Amino acid sequence: MSASDPNSSIFLKEIKEKINKYAYSGGRDTVEEHQEKGGDCSVDVAFQYLTYFEENDEQLEKIRQDYSSGAMLSGEIKKILIEKLTRVVLGHQTSKKSITEDIVRGFMTPRQLVFDF
């Protein structure tokens, strides 16, 4: 991802804007039609991301059922994803602060590989 292309990376402050603006929705054209026919999880980008970030399979299945039945709207599923991604990014930022030069040096130091066949 390139920082010079604003659409190629997601920064913490831009998560909400980018998901709401660019994430293709499997929802219908109107709220009424969506509530009647439900959304298509197989093409909904927010749901596809949730399959990677939602650790609770039961919760993911409930989201799928609610969205497919029309009980949950596209904005609601995007909101769930935004909250999940924000937590992941904050976790990475927090972890990154604890990395020292010694830790990096330990990973980057060449060492003899030992294969025990």
Side-chain angles (χ1 to χ4, degrees):
M1 294 184 165
S2 170
S4 62
D5 181 359
N7 294 322
S8 69
S9 59
I10 298 178
F11 298 101
L12 185 60
K13 65 182 181 174
E14 298 172 336
I15 289 174
K16 181 178 180 180
E17 176 189 334
K18 288 192 177 192
I19 289 173
N20 284 328
K21 187 174 182 179
Y22 297 111
Y24 182 78
S25 167
R28 305 295 175 163
D29 292 335
T30 65
V31 172
E32 294 79 18
E33 185 182 4
H34 180 84
Q35 290 173 335
E36 180 184 324
K37 297 179 181 177
D40 184 356
C41 289
S42 68
V43 297
D44 191 275
V45 171
F47 182 79
Q48 295 303 314
Y49 270 100
L50 282 173
T51 63
Y52 293 100
F53 291 103
E54 176 57 62
E55 295 177 0
N56 184 332
D57 291 340
E58 293 169 358
Q59 180 64 25
L60 183 64
E61 180 60 20
K62 180 177 181 349
I63 292 168
R64 188 194 65 73
Q65 288 175 356
D66 288 350
Y67 189 66
S68 297
S69 71
M72 179 182 286
L73 300 175
S74 297
E76 294 172 297
I77 200 168
K78 287 181 178 184
K79 182 180 177 188
I80 293 169
L81 176 62
I82 289 165
E83 291 169 359
K84 292 256 179 227
L85 287 179
T86 300
R87 277 186 257 144
V88 169
V89 171
L90 284 173
H92 281 287
Q93 289 177 344
T94 302
S95 296
K96 186 178 175 183
K97 290 177 184 176
S98 67
I99 296 176
T100 65
E101 287 294 323
D102 289 337
I103 292 172
V104 173
R105 197 175 304 109
F107 278 102
M108 301 303 290
T109 302
R111 50 191 160 270
Q112 183 69 35
L113 296 176
V114 179
F115 297 101
D116 199 17
F117 295 112

